[in-house]
Amino acid sequence: MIYIYNKITDPYFNLAAEEYLLKQFNDECFMLWRNKPSIIIGKNQNALAEINLDYVKEHNIPVVRRLSGGGAVFHDLGNVNFTFIVNDDLNGFSDFRRFTQPIIDVLKKLSINAEFSGRNDITIDGKKISGNAQYYYKNRILHHGTLLVSSNMTDLSAALKVRPVKFEDKGVKSVSKRVTNINEHLKEPIDIEEFINLIMNDIRQRTGGSGLYEFTGEDIKNIEKLKNEKYSTWEWNFGMSPDYNLKNEKKFLGGTLEVDLNVSDGIIKDIKIYGDFFGKKDVKDVEEMLKGVKHSENDVKNALSSIDIGEYFSNITLENLLDVMF
């Protein structure tokens, strides 16, 4: 087994690094890593249905899709992520205890009574400190999990607080659970670097490992390529969302505006705009302009840049329309 303490905090790079290690290495791996504030969504989730888009935009928080299933999680530098990659047949898939127990044992050394809970969580006194997920590729299992050490709970709650339900889709929904930080259960808070070293040293002792592996220049080049071609793209993070229908309605100075749109592969396939607003021109022109456009704010803006929106919606702005569409 090789051991990696990856100090890069770019979430696009780090998700790409996991895939690179899984698919390009033959060795079993254990990696510890952290992300700057970001939202990591499960492979089968609708990105827009999992996030507070206004908060994400205001705080410039990246939204990144991972290889594994499960729900959305908020990462920041107070959260430590661990990744096991092992060679195994499919029979070992979904054995979450196998990978969480070593982490639980480390926590017990800190006098924390952590336990495995439900399908894939580690909890302290019924509150979640770790969510876990897995992905299988060619007789290799990737298992990764979070560890809330000193995360900003306000940001965590706000970033994942979705507006009232307006999506109808088949995407996997995140389940809200009470969460807590590990530091809240210690007599003295632990330094994040000290915590990382504690886990790394324990795992190395368990598995008979030696020194740490550092990404080579070639490794970083290949990971950056995967990041740029996949993990930082709209197509992967938003376009990969399951097909969905979005319905939303809001009242503005010019009247009520209601949007009903169908999205497939991230592309607007059909859209209907209703309301009690007034307009000089027929709103069907706007609907036609938006068919075939990516369901992203920039693409919708660009698609409507050639028209005067006020001629279709009196006293309603383009920003108002975008507010209803996202």
Side-chain angles (χ1 to χ4, degrees):
M1 178 173 279
I2 63 173
Y3 309 89
I4 303 169
Y5 174 21
N6 171 19
K7 295 186 179 182
I8 295 171
T9 59
D10 174 358
Y12 301 117
F13 180 94
N14 290 337
L15 272 294
E18 284 193 309
E19 180 173 344
Y20 175 71
L21 290 169
L22 175 70
K23 296 183 177 180
Q24 303 304 323
F25 278 47
N26 293 318
D27 299 282
E28 295 191 328
C29 308
F30 177 73
M31 181 169 69
L32 291 172
W33 48 287
R34 292 187 292 161
N35 280 334
K36 66 183 181 181
S38 51
I39 295 174
I40 312 301
I41 62 170
K43 181 182 179 181
N44 305 311
Q45 292 192 296
N46 174 359
L48 289 174
E50 293 298 323
I51 64 176
N52 179 343
L53 187 60
D54 292 336
Y55 190 88
V56 165
K57 288 193 299 181
E58 180 183 351
H59 293 83
N60 197 29
I61 298 173
V63 177
V64 193
R65 187 179 301 276
R66 62 178 184 265
L67 285 174
S68 62
V73 289
F74 176 80
H75 287 185
D76 64 10
L77 295 178
N79 172 73
V80 176
N81 301 294
F82 64 94
T83 302
F84 286 98
I85 299 174
V86 299
N87 299 317
D88 202 338
D89 58 33
L90 194 53
N91 291 328
F93 190 69
S94 293
D95 182 1
F96 286 90
R97 287 182 181 270
R98 170 184 176 184
F99 302 101
T100 55
Q101 191 59 50
I103 304 298
I104 291 171
D105 291 343
V106 173
L107 294 173
K108 288 187 182 298
K109 291 181 180 180
L110 294 171
S111 299
I112 290 179
N113 187 29
E115 59 184 3
F116 184 78
S117 176
R119 184 184 59 165
N120 59 341
D121 295 335
I122 299 175
T123 61
I124 301 173
D125 297 333
K127 295 181 179 180
K128 180 176 174 178
I129 59 157
S130 173
N132 294 262
Q134 293 184 353
Y135 179 77
Y136 183 79
Y137 175 81
K138 292 184 177 179
N139 292 324
R140 279 166 73 78
I141 296 173
L142 183 154
H143 176 109
H144 48 194
T146 57
L147 285 167
L148 297 173
V149 181
S150 55
S151 283
N152 186 322
M153 292 299 178
T154 300
D155 284 346
L156 185 155
S157 176
L160 297 176
K161 184 179 179 182
V162 185
R163 284 185 257 183
V165 177
K166 58 184 178 183
F167 289 94
E168 295 175 6
D169 62 29
K170 295 181 180 178
V172 177
K173 300 296 186 293
S174 295
V175 178
S176 178
K177 296 182 179 178
R178 290 191 304 162
V179 295
T180 187
N181 276 315
I182 290 168
N183 268 346
E184 294 178 20
H185 302 268
L186 294 171
K187 291 181 179 179
E188 293 290 336
I190 192 168
D191 176 78
I192 202 88
E193 291 288 342
E194 182 184 352
F195 183 73
I196 288 170
N197 289 333
L198 185 66
I199 295 176
M200 182 61 77
N201 291 337
D202 193 271
I203 297 298
R204 284 164 61 189
Q205 289 173 8
R206 284 170 177 268
T207 53
S210 54
L212 296 181
Y213 177 86
E214 294 203 10
F215 288 131
T216 65
E218 187 67 17
D219 289 334
I220 291 175
K221 177 183 174 183
N222 290 328
I223 294 169
E224 286 284 353
K225 184 173 186 292
L226 185 57
K227 163 192 163 179
N228 293 331
E229 293 180 355
K230 181 175 181 178
Y231 284 93
S232 63
T233 66
W234 179 91
E235 284 75 14
W236 171 251
N237 294 317
F238 290 90
M240 280 286 292
S241 293
D243 295 354
Y244 57 89
N245 174 250
L246 180 150
K247 294 182 179 181
N248 201 23
E249 179 181 1
K250 285 200 170 185
K251 186 174 180 61
F252 302 104
L253 180 64
T256 300
L257 192 61
E258 180 182 351
V259 168
D260 186 345
L261 57 84
N262 293 306
V263 178
S264 178
D265 297 324
I267 305 297
I268 298 172
K269 298 300 183 183
D270 193 28
I271 179 169
K272 293 295 180 183
I273 302 173
Y274 310 96
D276 61 2
F277 55 84
F278 297 101
K280 296 178 185 176
K281 296 185 177 180
D282 196 331
V283 74
K284 288 183 179 180
D285 296 341
V286 177
E287 294 171 347
E288 288 302 316
M289 288 180 187
L290 292 176
K291 290 178 182 177
V293 174
K294 289 180 182 176
H295 189 213
S296 80
E297 289 199 50
N298 286 338
D299 286 88
V300 170
K301 280 183 181 179
N302 290 336
L304 301 179
S305 62
S306 62
I307 66 170
D308 179 357
I309 203 76
E311 293 188 331
Y312 296 89
F313 310 96
S314 181
N315 288 318
I316 290 177
T317 66
L318 177 56
E319 285 67 31
N320 294 153
L321 178 59
L322 291 170
D323 196 27
V324 182
M325 290 184 63
F326 293 93

